[in-house]
Amino acid sequence: MEPSAPRKAGCEQEDGFGVQPRRVADLGMVPNLRRSNSSLCKSRRLQCPFSSSEKQEHLSSWIPENIKKKECVYFVESSKLSDAGKVVCECGYTREQHLEEATKPHAFQGKEWDPKKHVQEMPTDAFGDIVFVGLGQKVGKYVRVSQDTPSSVIYHLMTQHWGLDVPNLLISVTGGAKNFNMKLRLKSIFRRGLVKVAQTTGAWIITGGSHAGVMKQVGEAVRDFSLSSGYKDGEVITIGVATWGTIHNREGLVHPMGGFPAEYVLDEEGQGNLTCLDSNHSHFILVDDGTHGQYGVEIPLRTQLEKFISEQTKERGGVAIKIPIVCVVLEGGPGTLHTIYNAVTHGTPCVIVEGSGRVADVIAQVASLPVSDITISLIQQKLSELFQELFETFTEGRIVEWTKKIQDIVRKRQLLTIFREGKDGQQDVDVAILQALLKASRSQDHFGHENWDHQLKLAVAWNRVDIARSEIFTDEWQWKPSDLHPTMTAALISNKPEFVKLFLENGVRLKELVTWDALLYLYENLEPSCLFHSKLQKVLAEEHLAGVPTAPRLQMYHVAQVLRELLGDSTQPLYPRPRHGDRPRLSLPVPHIKLNVQGVSLRSLYKRSSGHITFTMDPVRDLLIWAIVQNRRELAGIIWAQSQDCIAAALACSKILKELSKEEEDTDSSEEMLALADEYELRAIGVFTECYRKDEERAQKLLIRVSEAWGKTTCLQLALEAKDMKFVSHGGIQAFLTKVWWGQLCVDNGLWRVILCMLAFPLLLTGLISFREKRLQALGGPARARAFFSAPVVVFHLNILSYFAFLCLFAYVLMVDFQATPSWSECLIYLWLFSLVCEETRQVCTRQGGHPLLCKLFYDPDECGLMKMASLYFSDFWNKLDVGAIVLFIVGLTCRLIPATLYPGRVILSLDFIMFCLRLMHIFTVSKTLGPKIIIVKRMMKDVFFFLFLLAVWVVSFGVAKQAILIHNESRVDWIFRGVVYHSYLTIFGQIPAYIDGVNFDLAHCSPNGTDPYKPKCPESDATQQRPAFPEWLTVILLCLYLLFTNILLLNLLIAMFNYTFQQVQEHTDQIWKFQRHDLIEEYHGRPPAPPPFILLSHLQLLIKRVVLKIPAKRHKQLKNKLEKNEEAALLSWEIYLKENYLNNQQYQHHQRPEQRIQDISEKVDSMVDLLDMDRLKRSGPTEQRLASLEEQVAQVARSLHWIVRTLKDSGFGSVAGAPALALAKAPDEPDAELAGRRKEEEPGDGYHVNARHLLYPSSPVTRFPVPNEKVPWETEFLLYEPPFYTAERKDAALTDPVGEAPEPLANIRYNALDGPTDRRSFHGAYVVQDGLPLNPMGRTGLRGRGSLSCFGPNHMLHPVVTRWRRNQDGAICRKSIKKMLEVLVVKRPLSELWALPGGSREPGETLPRKLKQILLREAWEAAEGLLQRGVEVYKGYVDDPRNTDNAWIETVAISVHFPDQNNVELKRLNSHLHACDPGVSIRWQVVDKRIPLYENHKTILQKTATLFGAHY
């Protein structure tokens, strides 16, 4: 049903595509536009410093300054009354609703009401947040705007103040404004698909905003989505653009300072002819023109706003695209048809939902027919079927107009997509919408691969990899990997892993993608919220503070600096600081590079000459690190699967993530990082397990192989740095450590054999000890002894024996032989300790770094500073204990050597003995039995410290209270400490003070005045009665409470803590022990064989070799081995092969999981149901075709029989009365006509001129009279034909014909002849002259006059087609599909999006067209004339041009000028003379192809030229 009469003018709430949308000023040029401070924030939602109240205050000041409303300022009584019977103004408002000034007499009195004069703009008074009463707590945004508000201001409001992200897609939903019925299944499909496309692509949905018709359908779709589980993934932005004067209950929205929130009541029953806002829209733009009850006011502003948004550029990840727009149509009436026509005219794709009713169904049913079959009678039939009772209101002229518009809509099939439920393989509206956009993009003309590149950018922006797979990566276009590099970079930056996987499947190689410049660009586009970005900014700030004059620009060595902090000092910098003389960097500022054809493009990073492109050492590693530091799980997983050194890569990722998680403030992000770190540790374990199962020896080589890509470290070292205990506790790694522990000895030697040979080394000659290498069995004693005593297990046990001897000697000296003058045994201790100090110094220098002066003695690849060396050394607890013991020993020795402090020195040395004894715990960590227990003890010590804090609270509180109650003014500090702390602590263990309860009170055991230093001060007492005076009952209660909390509560708490720690650690004790076992093995692996103090001899030997003989240190190959290149390449290839096995196994296990199998079965069932539905439809299709064919054959038989009967009757056979009456064949029903139409091939141009019948005449406000195809020929009767008359005023009036509105000035024109310098003869013969005006030989155009052309009748033009063969670098002619390829000279004018041939009209008496002269130097004009005279004519005749009218048209001659030889002198002269006089004009040689962006009539000429030379087109 169409709306009632008062609402017909603008009832359709459709997409407002204006006829000629005016250009809106750029955002920066809007007058009085005050940008908010929020626009300066890098992230409006996260980093903006405004609070909620500050934002409201800012909005309350900004909106009234920049956004206006409209008010009627002059009351003119209308002849109509309001619905309530009140007198109203011509604007529709009552007298009370006007301003006070509007009802008073003033200058306007006596004049008719004119909206241009009597409606004025004022600051808006309705904006803020909107809440729908009784419909939940959802808060939306709204604003009342004037209909003249610039679109740039509204867009600024939405993106800067409302906080909306710039959309990737604009969906304009249009259709009927009144409620209509849809099939339940179609309604469900539409709602699901619309919301899905909006959510997945980040689109804005724009509707009319009211609670009726198609707007209500959209709102309910959003409501259903918000109630579903997918709502957490993001809000769907739904913007309603409605007319302020037609909104019911709008008074509640008026708040001069903004409503925060404004309450709106949705009252459908009382709305009358008005409408209510839809509660499911998120934002409302309410358009005001100062009137009440007038529909359609919002359409022009909505048109301009959508046009403006579609012209904006969305940039992300280096890819910039103009925001695409699509129109979705449901149902609708005349206004909807006008909307669709405007949309198609302006190149906007439309999706028509068939089955929704009225206009949508009319277009859907005729869309597949040839335009010539879409007749007035057919449209009349469709309207009668679908509009029913409203069909009576359609006049004949209106039906003609509808026919013309529908023909023009259907003619642009590339912009029209019909969504048919269950047909053509379509299942979802979202796919249909995106396919429509891609189809429209594909139909546009582009140079080369720009068309496909644009489609791919759209798919990436929408994040719809399914669309990319089905629509873009097809056999129709072969993608070069290099063409995908910019889009791949954009997918990486915008974190779209599915697209990254798709590009890798289509040939992109990461080694070619990642150049130094591209990698730097990636790091400059890190997520601002990621922790790594802030760390980089900190490094740059520190460098700036260090003395750099200007703010430093990010370089890769800055990245390496942060990465080394994360990976640990075992790695060298991954990206070294560039030295003087390195290749120059990019001169352009990389942060501003965008993939945009107007400026410097990201593609330029990949189009540099090979001499300037430098690739990184390991591009996969670089991309993996870039993804990991941003915690991008899926992306990192895809890149890791491409890596070579995959075990090291996984361990490095684990290390980086664990370090970042320590500094991450967000708890959720920290937990995600730790979970991802565990996942990569498991990946490393999985690949190493595959390798170890295949070959143990090669797997162990992978552990200690020096990885150049990862900073010259090893997998084992990375695992230790990352504390990946699961990896280190792997059986293969433990077997390797055991092999290192036993050195060259066989691991199956019993420990008793080793100890026996240590005590009696001649037993080595007996074969009691077996060696791994057979040659050692055959060698003599010295070789065996060297191999035996250099084994870490032997060195360890020798050091144990030495350490026990040291402790025994130390204890003996302290207890028995501590003389005033050091004895020989004490001197031996000093020597022993000196050897320990020398060994600790050696260990410091060999810990991955040391001071250069010290590290000359030992092998060290990384010469670190002294502070780094110290930090590495002291990171180990046992080293701290060693240093503490040595320092304490030196202090004690110093005191011991001074006679006055001899005794304190002995005390200090006694305490130091305890520390040396504690060092034994480290020695026994190698034991599989004692090692885990020592770990548990260490963990429990932490619990003890926490317990002591709680205990101290009770001890001190009880002790102070007790001391204050019992003793008065104790001044001795030592006795205060005893009373407060010591006695309270002993009370816990049962030593209760005897005097606390007064029972055992005895003054003899205390000092009354506190003067006796050996007795405590007596408690408060009665001296006369010899009894205590303090409250005994109170002290007893305090004691009971104290014992209750300490002995029962706290001690049991400690036991519970110990129990929890034991259970927790016991589960991982084995892993922890295996992990810590490495440190001990590494220590004794590099330790000299001789135990202290004999180790001094080894140190002396090292000093002589390094300093005196200057023999360089050698690498310890058992723990760090650098392989030859060939061997390393083979090992990595083997690792990659086994990594693929691991990934395949993981994928298989994933598919075997019950949850996954259930999901797969569910998907298969859904697929079967869809196939069954499609099969049913497919079966019904052929059946309909067969029935149509059968009906056609029956009709043909009937016609044949009719002819036979008539022939027999005319020949005198039979009587007329007896002749059977044959029924004429009925016109086939619509489905059959549609099927027949599909089989009929449509001719180009429908046989008539098309461009000359466009309703909108170019560069003017004139609208043509609609002329359907069947009414084009002059011979066809068209009684309704009343075209307007239009003749434009031209600057060159002397060279143009008169206007022509009166016949007198045209009487002197000689048609069909040479009229002076003007040739009025047509190439098509003589034309008809009617009423003094010539008639277009091709038929009606819908417009009389000469339009913007210069003369009546034919306007002759010349179009040179200058071509040459396209050649490659070798000079050979390029071919495509066997045919040779041409290049044509084309020109592009300012403000034009299309290219053109360099031709056009000629001045009288001239040979060359004016436009050709404009691109040639004057000295080349004569040569050009000669070329044209020698050229070949390829076309002569009528041109279907939009400037043609009924009385003036364009005819042209196309001359082909071809240069077959690339060395042609005239060709070289032509190229040298090409010069555009206007800087806005572009000239280029372009490959001849049907997809180049050329004017259609020029394309026709170019195709004829290509046919002439047999070239590709």
Side-chain angles (χ1 to χ4, degrees), residues 169-233:
L169 172 63
L170 195 64
I171 304 174
S172 181
V173 184
T174 183
K178 296 190 69 175
N179 293 326
F180 56 90
N181 295 322
M182 288 177 65
K183 297 179 182 177
L184 291 178
R185 177 175 170 81
L186 181 61
K187 183 187 296 185
S188 175
I189 292 174
F190 169 75
R191 291 182 178 181
R192 181 179 66 245
L194 182 67
V195 172
K196 182 179 178 182
V197 72
Q199 184 196 15
T200 56
T201 63
W204 288 358
I205 301 176
I206 296 185
T207 73
S210 61
H211 190 65
V214 66
M215 295 79 72
K216 185 177 181 180
Q217 296 288 345
V218 174
E220 290 176 350
V222 175
R223 179 201 62 195
D224 295 344
F225 166 73
S226 64
L227 296 175
S228 67
S229 59
Y231 182 66
K232 62 180 180 292
D233 296 334

Side-chain angles (χ1 to χ4, degrees), residues 871-926:
S871 64
L872 284 171
Y873 177 78
F874 284 108
S875 62
D876 188 358
F877 169 78
W878 299 110
N879 289 334
K880 297 175 186 175
L881 187 64
D882 288 341
V883 172
I886 292 171
V887 171
L888 192 61
F889 188 91
I890 293 172
V891 173
L893 177 61
T894 304
C895 295
R896 184 255 182 279
L897 295 177
I898 300 173
T901 58
L902 178 64
Y903 181 72
R906 191 179 72 176
V907 172
I908 293 173
L909 290 175
S910 300
L911 296 175
D912 192 39
F913 179 79
I914 298 174
M915 298 184 69
F916 279 113
C917 288
L918 291 176
R919 190 66 173 77
L920 285 172
M921 296 177 65
H922 176 53
I923 295 175
F924 291 114
T925 54
V926 75

Side-chain angles (χ1 to χ4, degrees), residues 113-135:
W113 191 83
D114 185 358
K116 295 181 180 180
K117 297 180 180 179
H118 300 157
V119 175
Q120 294 183 0
E121 286 190 344
M122 300 180 181
T124 187
D125 58 358
F127 61 92
D129 300 335
I130 183 172
V131 173
F132 290 82
V133 178
L135 296 174

Side-chain angles (χ1 to χ4, degrees), residues 133 329 854 1153 1246 1338:
V133 178
V329 182
L854 297 176
R1153 290 166 50 196
D1246 314 320
M1338 294 300 162

Side-chain angles (χ1 to χ4, degrees), residues 69 178 222 314 353 377 398 534 571 695 715 811 928 1179 1265 1284 1343 1348 1482:
K69 66 173 183 176
K178 296 190 69 175
V222 175
K314 173 71 177 286
V353 180
S377 60
R398 198 173 185 187
S534 62
T571 62
D695 190 330
C715 293
K928 194 169 186 179
R1179 284 201 304 269
F1265 190 91
L1343 185 68
S1348 59
S1482 303

Side-chain angles (χ1 to χ4, degrees), residues 1299-1314:
V1299 175
E1301 292 180 345
E1304 289 79 10
L1306 303 178
N1308 298 326
I1309 297 178
R1310 298 171 56 197
Y1311 295 109
N1312 290 310
L1314 188 62

